[in-house]
Each structure stands twice: as structure tokens, then as C-alpha cells.
Amino acid sequence: MQVSALLEQPETAVTGTTITEREFVDNYERQRRLEMLNLLAPAFIGITLIVMAAIAAYLVVLAPGQESLLVVEAPLAAVVIVQSVSWLLVRQERVLLPTVILLAGNALVIIAIEVIWIKVNGLDLFAIAGLITLCSIIVEAGALGGGWVIVPVTLAINVVTLAILLVSPRPPQLATTIDTQLALFAPVIIMTQWALGATMFALWRNVRSMLRTVGIAYERAQRLDDLKNQFISSVNHELRTPLTTLQTYIQACLIRFERLSREDLRSALERADRVSRALAELVKEILSTRRIEQDAVGFTPTAVPVRQSVEAAISLLDLRATETPMRDLHLSIPGDIQVWGDATLLKQILSNLLTNALKYSPDGTPIEVSATLERGAARSANEAGAPGKGKRRSVRSAEQATPTVVELTVRDHGFGIPADEAPLLFNRFVRLPRDLASSIVGTGLGLYTCKLYAEAMGGSIWVESAGEGEGSTFHVRLPLAPADAQAPSAPVKEPVGARA
Amino acid sequence: MGIEMERASSGDDRRFRVLLVDDNVELLEAVRFALLDDYRIETATSAEAALERIEQLAQTGLPDCMVIDVKMPGLNGVQLVRILRGDPATAQIPLIILSAYVQGEDILRGQLAGVDRYLAKPFDVAVLIDAIQQATHLTPEQRLTRLRSFLDDPPG
């Protein structure tokens, strides 16, 4: 009875800060880009400095007479300064501006080398080969920016490449050769640039989608954790009150011992006894998860008639506890359907589902229970390989191969279940936030038990709900009992229209 | 449904009057049983009922101390404390909170509302008796000084 209080919200409800999957991905990507910028900015600055030195050496030592070209050192020096500033911006968590500066700076460095080479030697094969290094800007754009940034960057690189190829003076003795070769080579360079761009784009998409998967799992884990914390905090509160009552009686008896009459003492002890029993009951309820898990493995499968199980489950319903008024219960179960499993487990599953249906639907709405034969595996393919269930599992696997299963459904016309919360419900101690805030009794163990038992019998359980307020239908699939193991079918009672 | 008879009729009973407010009847009975020898015990199972009871008692004399649970349907204990402190007629009643909420912020919230003591469940009966004794034996001035020191330098 004390369990009823478990779902009342504590005054200080546990409200974890929930990060959505989208925020998770965006946060991560921002962090990643900052990290990349932080690593690459000093590297780029260093490269620019080395190139400046190389150009100076080349012009002074290897190409004497071209010293006037040393003016390119001025814009390169500017690049170094601006890139250094952008590094400072990265330190202040700026992302976009440093990215643009670093990419543009690198492009300028490559263009400077090209310009000098072409000024000295004309557009020879080395100059054309050197142009391919512009592709590195596309790779950098993929690494630093990702996404649609890659497209304009690739386009810009195309334009620069073509401009240099078209405008540059040809070396006099090679002019015709170069022009002929360019007809073939220019498209190759452009296509290479786009191939790289597409690859970087695909990589970025790939990372995003992987992150999204992680983000979804993260979000789910976080919500589960919140729900668990809520449960623990309310259990904590609900244990304190009976414990306090008990302790108060005992201490009061000790303090007042000399002054208490025998009757008073007896009456106090009786009250304390009652409280301690209720407390023990509550603790048992909370600890029963362990027992549930043990029950799920300790049975020998037999043929279990579904109708009898449903009737037994109905008789199990504690109608006083739920104070349920009369409800219409429609049964549509052929008398001869038998599943392969354990009668107690099946009865418990049905009892839990029926209790839920009663609890989470308004007075007067009907509840329908049906059993049908279906073709298909009792467990879905990915569940079938679930590990670690002992040898009984392997004995039963022969039966699982039979394509025919029994599908039980329990349908109510109640409050329904929000689609995104439905799969969580089968976890231990999980209740809908809506129900936690309501006065409906529950520990969050019922559906967990159902799932555990259904899977222990080689079956599966899931829920369908059109949404909140639309009612819910719970489906349980269990293997059909093999024909040679079927118990002689029990005399069939009048089928439909039982009243709970 | 007291466990034993009220010992003295109200007329010549000089014992302090303590009003217990808790929605849990079991605990209410237990605390009443513990305090019965030394105090005249009144009980209320909700904040609203407590306010009603105080109004009834106003003619014969207000409670000398109140012991209040936090989590109750309707008004909670802290809200009750605020109401009592806000009304000049009841502002002087010593108030003790008895709560399962023992996080620092819960205690602080209670103390900011103006309770004299904040006891965590489960509590020692001896500590509760001591708290009631202290609260009932302070003069209004002494109590005010204590409250001020709480507000200036809240513990926890």
C-alpha cells in the first residue's frame, strides 16, 4: 500500500539538464573545429614563414636579376600577421573568421609561389604541376569547415586555377605544346579538385551521422538516468516516513517506559508492528527486481493453455488496490491455443498488462484481450541471438524455428503513450513523466518484468499507441507449443464478455 | 483516536499546547504518543486543517509550538510556515519542521521561511522534545534574534 506514494513527485524533483541530440552534435562539431584550428593555425603560420624564406633564397641565389619580385614578400608578411591574429581569435573560441583567414592565407601563399615561378620561367610544366597543390586548400576546408563551405571553396579554387592557366605567359619555345596539353590537362585538374571536394563533403556527412547516432544514445541514456534518479529519490522519501514512525514508537516507549501502562505499551507495540510490516512489504517490493530476474531463468517449458492463463491472471488482479469500478473485459481467445513456456510467467505477464490497462484508462472504457496464431519468428532476428541464457535456451531453439507463434494483445482505450517514450517503458524503474506526476500507483517494474519473462520464454513484447489519449495496445509474441507436447485442451468455457 | 486518555481537562492544564501537522496519520499518532506525557497535543492532517484549527484555538489560546511536515497535499509545510509568519497573530508561534527532505537547499528554504528548527526524518524523539522545549522557552525577543542570525548567516 505504501508503494502508492512512490509515484508522487518529491518537492525537489530531479531535473537534469537534458541535452538534445542536435545540440550534442553541434557542440561536438564546434569543439572539433576549434581543436583543428588550434592545431593548424601555428602550422600554417610556420609554413608561410618557410615559404617566405624559400622565395627570398630562390630570387637572390638561383634567379639573379629578379630581385624586384621580392615585393611578394610584403603580402606574405601580411598573411603571417593576419594568420597570427586569427590564432588569437581561435583562443577566444571564434570559429568562422579564423577559418576564412587561414584558408585564404594558405591560398595566397601557393598563388605567390606560382606567380614568381611564372614570372621567371613562364607557364611551364612545373608551374602547371605546382597548381595542383591548390587542391590542399579544399582538403583544409573539409577539415576546418566541413559541410557546404567546401562547395564555394572548391569553386574559388577552380576559378583561380583557370585564371592562372589562361592569363599566364607561356614560355616562348613551348607555347604551342603547353596550349595543346592544357586542353586535356585543365579539365583533369578541375575534376580532381571536385573529386576531392566531394570526398571531403562525404567524410563530413559521415562524421555527422555517426555523431547523431551517438547523440541519440546519449540523450536516451540521459533521460533514463533522470527517470532512475527520480525513482530513487522518491523511494528514499517513502522509506523515511515508515522508518521514522517505527523509530518514534520505539524511542517513545523507551523514554516513557516507567510511566506507560501495560495497555498503552501493548497498543504502541501493535502499531509499531503494523508499520514495520508495511515497511518490510515496501522493501520487498523494491528488492523484487532481483527475484524477477531469477524467476525468468528457473523454469522448464511446457505447453500452457492461453485461456486458462488469462483467467488466472484476471483472478490475480487486486481490484481492491486499484479501487476499480466495473469494467468491460472482452476476451477473444480460442480455447485450444497453447504457448510453449511457463504458466506462472505467462500469468504474471498477463496480470501486469491487465493491471496497467485498468490503471491507465478512464473508468468505463473497455479492455480487450485477444490471442491469435501468427506466422513468423517469436523473437525478432536481432533479439534471437541474445547471449548468455544457459543451456535451456539452446534446447528451445528448435521450437523457435517453427514459423508459427501466438500473438497476445491487450488493448485499452486509455491515456496512450507518446511514441518517443514507448521503448523506454520496458526498462527497469521507468515510468512516464506524466504518470510520475499523477496519483497512479506504480514502481516502474511491471513492463520490465513482462519483457524479461516474454524474452525468457523465447518471445517478444512491444507496444503500439497512436499517441497520447489514443489508448495503447500491448503485443506479446510467444512460441506456439509443438503439436506433440500439447496438453489435451481443457473444456472450453463461454468465451466473450467476462466482467472484471 | 488517542492511545490514552488526555490526562487533564483543558481548564487547569498548564502544559504547553503543541499542534502536529502531518498528512501521514501513522506518524502523527506516533509523535503524539511520544509527546503525550509532557504536552497537550493537537493534530491536523493538512496545512489547511492546521490553519482552521488555529482559528478555533484562537479564543482559548494559540498553540505554544507547531511541528510541521513538508510534503503534504495542498499547501506544503514551508508554505504553511510562510502564512503563519506573515500573519501578526501567529507570527510568534515557534515552528519546527520535520521533513524527509534533507538537502541543503530544502533546509535553507525552510529557514528562510522562518522556522525555528529543521529536523530531518528519521529523527530522535529526544531531539524533537529538546527542540520543542527550547522553542517554547525562548522569549519572543530571543527567538527574533535567533531568526535574524539564521537569515544573516544561514547554515549549510
Side-chain angles (χ1 to χ4, degrees), chain A residues 55-68:
Chain A
I55 288 176
Y58 174 73
L59 289 176
V60 173
V61 180
L62 297 175
Q66 300 285 350
E67 283 84 358
S68 63

Side-chain angles (χ1 to χ4, degrees), chain A residues 264-297:
Chain A
D264 288 343
L265 188 61
R266 182 188 184 81
S267 143
L269 285 176
E270 276 168 4
R271 282 159 186 270
D273 179 51
R274 214 166 53 220
V275 175
S276 73
R277 280 167 198 275
L279 180 60
E281 203 53 44
L282 180 62
V283 170
K284 213 166 80 188
E285 186 92 25
I286 293 167
L287 296 183
S288 63
T289 21
R290 184 93 192 93
R291 201 203 61 222
I292 294 169
E293 279 151 19
Q294 284 164 356
D295 284 354
V297 288

Side-chain angles (χ1 to χ4, degrees), chain A residues 195-217:
Chain A
L196 257 181
T199 308
M200 293 315 289
F201 188 80
L203 255 178
W204 171 79
R205 283 292 297 267
N206 194 241
V207 169
R208 283 285 290 191
S209 83
M210 274 186 334
L211 271 179
R212 193 163 297 124
T213 315
V214 175
I216 290 169

Side-chain angles (χ1 to χ4, degrees), chain A residues 162-354:
Chain A
L162 287 176
I164 291 176
L165 286 178
L166 292 176
V167 173
S168 306
R170 275 59 170 151
Q173 67 278 34
L174 285 173
T176 17
T177 331
I178 292 287
D179 282 339
T180 328
Q181 286 170 345
L182 268 185
L184 173 71
F185 213 66
V188 169
I189 294 180
I190 300 300
M191 289 328 293
T192 308
Q193 289 170 351
W194 276 109
L196 257 181
T199 308
M200 293 315 289
F201 188 80
L203 255 178
W204 171 79
R205 283 292 297 267
N206 194 241
V207 169
R208 283 285 290 191
S209 83
M210 274 186 334
L211 271 179
R212 193 163 297 124
T213 315
V214 175
I216 290 169
Y218 179 80
E219 196 191 358
R220 181 165 292 185
Q222 225 178 13
R223 283 173 56 193
L224 248 170
D225 206 46
D226 278 357
L227 289 174
K228 248 176 221 173
N229 284 344
Q230 257 174 23
F231 176 83
I232 289 166
S233 118
S234 42
V235 162
N236 171 43
H237 181 263
E238 289 321 311
L239 286 177
R240 273 173 200 268
T241 304
L243 184 62
T244 305
T245 312
L246 196 57
Q247 192 176 313
T248 305
Y249 273 122
I250 293 168
Q251 291 182 358
C253 283
L254 286 173
I255 291 173
R256 302 180 55 200
F257 192 73
E258 302 299 332
R259 291 176 285 180
L260 278 178
S261 69
R262 284 181 70 84
E263 271 96 276
D264 288 343
L265 188 61
R266 182 188 184 81
S267 143
L269 285 176
E270 276 168 4
R271 282 159 186 270
D273 179 51
R274 214 166 53 220
V275 175
S276 73
R277 280 167 198 275
L279 180 60
E281 203 53 44
L282 180 62
V283 170
K284 213 166 80 188
E285 186 92 25
I286 293 167
L287 296 183
S288 63
T289 21
R290 184 93 192 93
R291 201 203 61 222
I292 294 169
E293 279 151 19
Q294 284 164 356
D295 284 354
V297 288
F299 70 91
T300 315
T302 52
V304 182
V306 174
R307 255 196 81 91
Q308 282 175 15
S309 292
V310 173
E311 279 157 11
I314 291 169
S315 70
L316 255 188
L317 292 180
D318 190 354
L319 297 176
R320 284 159 304 133
T322 47
E323 287 168 24
T324 318
M326 297 288 271
R327 297 284 281 272
D328 278 324
L329 188 59
H330 301 289
L331 304 182
S332 140
I333 302 163
D336 56 347
I337 289 193
Q338 300 189 1
V339 298
W340 189 240
D342 180 78
T344 316
L345 299 192
L346 179 60
K347 189 174 69 184
Q348 195 60 50
I349 292 175
L350 289 164
S351 160
N352 286 0
L353 292 180
L354 284 168

